[in-house]
Structures are given as C-alpha cells and as structure tokens.
Amino acid sequence: MSADTVSVTGWGRTAPTTARLVRPRTYEEAVAAVRGCGARGSIPRGLGRAYGDAAQNAGGEILDMTGLDRVHAIDADGGTVLCAAGVSLHRLMRVLLPLGWFVPVTPGTRYVTVGGAIGADIHGKNHHVCGAFSRHVLSFELLTADGEIRTVRRGTPLFDATTGGMGLTGVILTATVQLQPVQTSLMTVDTERARDLDDLMARLSATDDHYRYSVAWIDLLARGAATGRAVLTRGEHAPLDALGTRAREDALAFRPSRLPAPPAHLPEGLLSRRGVGWFNELWYRTSPRARTGRLQKLSTFFHPLDGVPHWNRIYGRGGFVQYQFVVPYGQEDTLRRIVRRLSERRCPSFLAVLKRFGDADPGWLSFPLPGWTLALDIPTGLPGLGPLLDELDEEVAAAGGRVYLAKDSRLRPELLAAMYPRLDDFRALRAELDPRGVFVSDLSRRLDL
C-alpha cells in the first residue's frame, strides 16, 4: 500500500487542500488504512469527478479506491454484476456491452467509479423513468469506522444513509448491480429546438414519458423573447433491426472517440461572454429544428465531453463552479425567475442542461425529487458570482428544492436542513456508526454533516 502527500481538488479545480493519499490494493489494506487513520480522519475517493470538495480532506487522509477494480462475477442471464467499488462505469461498459448489457444509470461522464456512483447516488438522462443509481443496487459491502465489513442490503437504514451519503458512512468495497439489457451499442436519437423556456417545458411535459432518456441544452445568454431557448435531445437504445445487415455483425462494439486534450494553460477570454455567446448561437442555429431516428454511438449521446481528456482545463487556472439544483413540479415560476436572472447577468455558461426528475429516491441525502433540475458551469471569475449563487440557493430552498452535494463547493450550512429533510436522521446514524469521526471530508466540515 503506497501513500503520498498531495494537493487535491474536485473536478472544478477550486479550493485545493493537502492530504495524505493512501492507495490500497487489497481489501485487507483498505481495512488497515481505516483502522490506522489519524486524527483528521479519512474519506474514500474514486476518479475525482465530484466537482467540489466532497472527496477532499485537508490535513487528513484520502483513500484512493481505484486500485480495487476487479469485476468479480457477471450473471449474463439474470443481468447482474458483482464488482469492486473502484471499477469505473467505462470499464463496465467495455466488459458488459458485448454480453448485451448496459449500466442502468450513467451521468454525463463514464469516468465514475461504482463506489462513487453509490456515494453520490448519481442520476442521468433517464431519472424520470429509472430513478437514480441506488435503485439498481441490490447490495454492497461497506467497511465501517470500526474496521468491520458489513453486507448492506436495499431497504435498510444503512443502505439509505450510504446512497447519497458522500462516503461519510464508510468505504464501499464491492457492489451487486442490476443491469439494463440492450441489443446494440447505438442510440436512436430525436432532436428538436425550443424557442424559449416555456416552449421547452411544454415539450418536455407533453412527451417525456415517451422516451427513456431526455435532456435539454439551454442558451443562458439568450434574452428577451428568446430567454431559455434550447435544444432538446431524447433517445432510446437502438434495436437490432434499426441497423443494416453488415452493422448487425458488430452491433455491440464499444469504440468511444477521443480528441486531443486542451493545453494546460489556455488564453484568457476563451470563456468570455462574447466567446460563449458565439458558441451558443452557433450551437442553437446549427441544431435541427426537428429530426428523428438518428443513430448515435452511446459515447456520443451520453458522454460527449469524455472525448476531450481534461476538458475542465478549458476554464483556466481559476476553475469553475458547477451549480445544480432541483425545484418541485408546481414551482415553475421559480425556475423561470432563476433562468431569467442568469440570462440578465449574462452568465457565460455553455454547459447548461435541464431535465425532469421522476419519483424521489430513498437515500436520505439523495439529490433527486420530482421536479425540474438545471445544471450549469460558471467560471469562478464572474464578478459577483458568490452573492448571486447565495441568492439562488435561498430561492431554491424556499421553493422546496435543493442543490446537489456531489457538485457543491460553496453552499451555506444553514440552508442544508431545509433542502434535505432527512438530515437529522443521517447525522444520528453517522454519530452512532462513527463516534470517533473516522470518515470526514472538506464537504462534511463545511456543511456540518
């Protein structure tokens, strides 16, 4: 087991802190690391795709779980996989797609570990149909603060505290996951343009239940009558008969494309309002008004940014804030006000997406609830960004909504209880399970989790 002192950030590249990074290669080494961690505690970390400080631990230890990456067993008939927590969704796709299976939920990147997917209870374009990742987890093994390994099954308090619990109940070692059957590694995709936010919400509300996957890109720099104009993309797994005869011979091949990484240092002004405005205008105008049935690779539909290694460098040395919130159905006026405020402030975000969530998931700190969720990237250099987001937090909380902890880097702790009604239950279980505070992170200190 190796260890180094390193400076660590989230994917947004903000607020670096220094910690001792420990890399176990066996379950026994993971147990030893937990039992031997110092006074500042430890937190598990996967591939570092949490945007904020959830997998940082200033002055303490970070348990890098990526060395535990074995796929232990696959039930190709029943569609389940037993794997170590350090296995990435990327690797699962490579292993499972040739067998006719796909991961049940994927976020906008496949470079997430299974342990991270459970700890953040990730969601994707199919939440309105399939829920979050935890809905498809049958059980997992959890290394708790006392150094013991527990088998945790769905429907138990410890399961619900861990799914969405951001690694604070223990270290997930293995998980058994139910998979999604597919006939091909392609998607059939429908694309259309919406002239404004109301038009977009009407289209989503009327037809979202016709599609397994749905997402809309919003132009947050459009103003006036075009405020909230968007490109709406929906898709389904392509059936075998959608392919030509020759293509069917290789129907389950998984060959994601890769582009060169952006340079480590980019010229200033690349993400200025003018630059992003040009990009947004081009993207909207070149998207089809209405197109149905286009075949796309899985990687193109789900993970377009994964084709650009280290794409987070695009935001420059200052990094960026990823802000994602959800407000319940019936609170559309709150969503309209927020989109209007962002547009009036000319927030230079070229990654702004709107989705609809289905039923809430059982995790006590799981993010989704039935409603509208908007996610956007904002460069940290935007003047007045902190006060603006503080005000948006208050609007979201007053509407009965919440922000996503896996992407948060700056929420004020006094708003947390209003956003997450099971917070006291989470704190009580954590105090009972981990009285010495073995598992701790910069996020948990900041929000008093």
Side-chain angles (χ1 to χ4, degrees):
M1 180 166 57
S2 62
D4 296 290
T5 299
V6 296
S7 178
V8 178
T9 71
W11 191 246
R13 303 177 75 199
T14 60
T17 55
T18 300
R20 185 170 177 263
L21 189 70
V22 180
R23 303 178 184 87
R25 291 294 181 265
T26 65
Y27 299 134
E28 292 78 13
E29 289 184 351
V31 170
V34 167
R35 288 179 171 170
C37 75
R40 293 284 288 181
S42 182
I43 193 71
R45 181 180 175 97
L47 289 168
R49 291 305 179 104
Y51 283 80
D53 52 4
Q56 297 174 222
N57 183 20
E61 293 183 0
I62 294 172
L63 208 57
D64 181 344
M65 297 300 293
T66 56
L68 298 172
D69 61 351
R70 287 186 58 193
V71 177
H72 294 293
I74 300 170
D75 180 352
D77 295 322
T80 61
V81 61
L82 169 63
C83 63
V87 173
S88 69
L89 299 190
H90 172 81
R91 183 164 179 226
L92 283 184
M93 291 174 198
R94 286 199 173 278
V95 171
L96 295 171
L97 272 169
L99 304 177
W101 297 99
F102 189 62
V103 295
V105 171
T106 177
T109 175
R110 61 187 179 273
Y111 294 108
V112 175
T113 63
V114 170
I118 296 170
D121 204 9
I122 60 169
H123 57 272
K125 298 178 176 68
N126 60 344
H127 188 276
H128 61 292
V129 174
C130 298
F133 195 84
S134 63
R135 297 265 191 101
H136 310 274
V137 177
L138 305 180
S139 64
F140 52 79
E141 288 184 308
L142 186 70
L143 170 59
T144 49
D146 55 8
E148 299 299 318
I149 299 175
R150 309 182 186 208
T151 299
V152 183
R153 302 193 185 280
R154 191 162 54 186
T156 62
L158 186 52
F159 188 100
D160 293 344
T162 302
T163 54
M166 307 309 298
L168 297 171
T169 61
V171 182
I172 298 168
L173 297 178
T174 67
T176 301
V177 182
Q178 184 71 53
L179 304 168
Q180 165 72 32
V182 296
Q183 296 180 5
T184 73
S185 61
L186 296 173
M187 303 291 295
T188 56
V189 181
D190 296 351
T191 305
E192 58 190 283
R193 292 195 321 218
R195 63 181 179 273
D196 57 29
L197 183 60
D198 284 340
D199 183 31
L200 172 62
M201 289 193 291
R203 291 170 187 256
L204 283 166
S205 298
T207 61
D208 224 22
D209 58 349
H210 300 168
Y211 296 87
R212 179 176 292 272
Y213 303 99
S214 180
V215 67
W217 167 87
I218 293 183
D219 181 1
L220 285 181
L221 286 176
R223 292 186 289 181
T227 298
R229 69 178 181 178
V231 178
L232 175 57
T233 307
R234 276 88 69 90
E236 300 283 352
H237 292 283
L240 192 61
D241 59 15
L243 278 61
T245 303
R246 180 171 296 180
R248 293 181 193 181
E249 298 174 1
D250 209 16
L252 291 167
F254 182 57
R255 301 188 185 97
S257 304
R258 296 277 281 182
L259 297 173
H265 303 295
L266 293 167
E268 295 294 329
L270 185 64
L271 289 179
S272 65
R273 290 186 180 96
R274 178 175 296 181
V276 174
W278 178 86
F279 171 87
N280 287 3
E281 183 71 23
L282 180 66
W283 187 261
Y284 182 78
R285 295 296 177 188
T286 58
S287 296
R289 291 183 182 276
R291 180 176 60 195
T292 61
R294 184 186 183 189
L295 290 177
Q296 278 188 353
K297 290 182 178 181
L298 285 168
S299 57
T300 302
F301 181 78
F302 289 109
H303 316 118
L305 286 175
D306 281 349
V308 184
H310 308 293
W311 64 262
N312 56 342
R313 293 178 186 169
I314 292 171
Y315 292 87
R317 293 180 180 179
F320 66 100
V321 172
Q322 167 88 182
Y323 186 65
Q324 183 170 8
F325 67 88
V326 57
V327 292
Y329 295 125
Q331 292 292 331
E332 284 77 12
D333 282 346
T334 300
L335 178 62
R336 291 185 184 100
R337 281 195 304 272
I338 291 175
V339 170
R340 190 161 53 246
R341 290 190 65 182
L342 292 168
S343 297
E344 289 170 352
R345 285 293 304 272
R346 309 287 287 158
C347 283
S349 175
F350 70 93
L351 293 175
V353 296
L354 183 74
K355 293 180 289 192
R356 282 166 51 93
F357 281 158
D359 292 340
D361 301 286
W364 293 349
L365 297 185
S366 290
F367 169 64
L369 54 81
W372 303 92
T373 180
L374 177 66
L376 59 146
D377 294 349
I378 312 174
T380 56
L382 182 71
L385 178 59
L388 171 64
L389 294 183
D390 286 345
E391 292 170 5
L392 298 188
D393 289 341
E394 292 173 2
E395 280 208 64
V396 168
R402 58 183 60 146
V403 300
Y404 191 16
L405 297 182
K407 296 184 176 180
D408 176 59
S409 59
R410 25 74 43 208
L411 179 68
R412 302 199 313 273
E414 60 267 25
L415 291 176
L416 194 64
M419 294 181 172
Y420 288 91
R422 300 297 300 272
L423 179 62
D424 285 343
D425 294 326
F426 178 82
R427 285 170 170 162
L429 184 143
R430 187 168 171 238
E432 178 183 350
L433 195 65
D434 185 7
R436 297 188 297 115
V438 170
F439 296 112
V440 66
S441 65
D442 291 354
L443 174 79
S444 71
R445 290 191 186 97
R446 176 169 57 84
L447 294 178
D448 190 25
L449 287 171

